[in-house]
Amino acid sequence: MNEEPVLGIDFGTTYSSMAWFNPRTGRAEVLRNAEGEEKTPSVVYYGDKEVVVGKVAEYYVEDLQACKRVLRAVKRDLAKPLVYTVGTRQVSPVEVAAEILRKLKRDAEEGHFGRPVRRVVLTHPAVFDEVEKERLRDAAQLAGFAEVVLLEEPVAAALAYVAAGLGAVEQGILVYDLGGGTFDLTLVVRDDSPADFRVALPPRGLRIGGEDFDRVVYEAFDQFVRQTHGVSLGEDGLDLALLKRCREYKENL
């Protein structure tokens, strides 16, 4: 590990993960976070004196008062001119994303590399426009990364597929990418060398994903309660605790 390490991050709408390429084994390896898990919830809790990211932040969703300080799924808002008011703080989607990336960076440094990590390869949906990609780069730099390389998620998937030896690829791969916030369909073809791929056609994508499925389940519960009891769930806003359970119902199914 003499060469400066490069961290790979899949910054997701619902979960984020990280990995690195191990030169000794010649393979990419998933890195665990400080909680010992491979996936970190893309959730941030803003307290009066602290900012908590990940699984611990999700615990606050169950508290009726604390849940108002929880922000989630900010990846979908990166290009929007939004400012979230959380307690006495005002934060942008880019700043929230930076908190998530900062935690992953810190966990990788302290739990794996034992030294600072300045370089990152950050994946993004193929449907991201230039503004969204620039905001993602801003978040990474705000998190402390000095060198940021962006890579389309379907290209990353194609590279991983070939590197893992899962099947022979002659010319191209059709990649279906269903994430928390987007659903991309992209044709990826070989470039000049067998190990290089590029997006061959403009991506066909929808701004819809797992988070939207969760909302449909939530709205079905809400409609049932309205019809049977004449009240709405979360009259003061979205009931994040129930929304979390709806996601669990979906995942269990």
Side-chain angles (χ1 to χ4, degrees), residues 176-184 208-210 213:
Y176 291 83
D177 181 10
L178 176 58
T182 56
F183 181 27
D184 296 334
I208 188 171
F213 302 161

Side-chain angles (χ1 to χ4, degrees), residues 155-219:
V155 174
L159 290 171
Y161 182 83
V162 172
L166 297 176
V169 179
E170 294 184 2
Q171 189 59 35
I173 303 176
L174 189 63
V175 181
Y176 291 83
D177 181 10
L178 176 58
T182 56
F183 181 27
D184 296 334
L185 172 62
T186 311
L187 177 63
V188 181
V189 300
R190 287 191 184 280
D191 216 330
D192 297 331
S193 72
D196 291 334
F197 290 87
R198 62 180 174 84
V199 175
L201 295 173
R204 308 297 186 202
L206 297 172
R207 302 288 176 151
I208 188 171
E211 292 282 334
D212 300 281
F213 302 161
D214 301 343
R215 289 294 294 266
V216 170
V217 177
Y218 178 96
E219 289 166 5

